[in-house]
Amino acid sequence: MYFLDFDRTTFDADAFTPYLRQKFAGRPVATLGSVAFATAMNDLVIEGTLAFAPGELSQFLYEDAGRFLRDKENGVMLITYGNVALQKAKVESALYGIPRISTIYTNLVRKGEYLAPHIGMYGQSPVFVDDSLEELEIFATKCPSARVFEMRRDGGTGDGRWSVIHTLTQLP
């Protein structure tokens, strides 16, 4: 089983954020810092003021991610931390047309903490991929049977504690 982070692993959040801010150009919310902006966007999704058309956000899905998700189907689970309403809206729009992909929304519970009680259900050595060093560290500690990979979409060398990949095609 592959557990893939959503933002910056399968979805280009760095390109998406300016796109989203542009939707609110000229309004005070567009100038908020990243955490406050994400919270405001989550609130707008809950209110029904912000929505994404099916497939609208597929442009932000990394090309290799779309192929990987289609190839692995039920063997992949996305796992995402953060504002659930916003994350769900992003995932559903970005993955529109890609069948059989399950997503775990952990809200504000770290991914390793969330999966630790259940990780044994997913085989002897599930694979976890994330770009966040904090998430990788917690996951490696809480789920020691997992194989952990650091995603570096920027081509960087990584932290050094985990195997580094630059695309999902590099996974075993």
Side-chain angles (χ1 to χ4, degrees), residues 23-121:
K23 283 184 172 262
F24 294 93
R27 294 165 70 183
V29 70
T31 62
L32 293 173
S34 60
V35 173
F37 182 71
T39 300
M41 295 301 101
N42 190 67
D43 292 344
L44 292 174
V45 171
I46 291 168
E47 293 170 4
T49 306
L50 176 62
F52 304 107
E56 176 183 350
L57 302 185
S58 63
Q59 64 183 307
F60 300 107
L61 197 62
Y62 292 109
E63 185 178 330
D64 65 294
R67 281 193 312 269
F68 189 85
L69 294 171
R70 284 182 182 88
D71 289 347
K72 301 297 183 188
E73 293 182 338
N74 291 330
V76 174
M77 223 178 255
L78 293 177
I79 184 165
T80 185
Y81 171 92
N83 299 307
V84 174
L86 178 60
Q87 289 302 94
K88 187 171 185 175
K90 288 165 43 182
V91 167
E92 288 177 358
S93 177
L95 298 184
Y96 182 77
I98 300 177
R100 295 181 284 282
I101 301 298
S102 298
T103 305
I104 298 169
Y105 301 95
T106 69
N107 194 11
L108 299 179
V109 178
R110 293 296 176 183
K111 297 166 192 169
E113 292 171 358
Y114 189 93
L115 278 178
H118 316 288
I119 198 70
M121 297 174 13

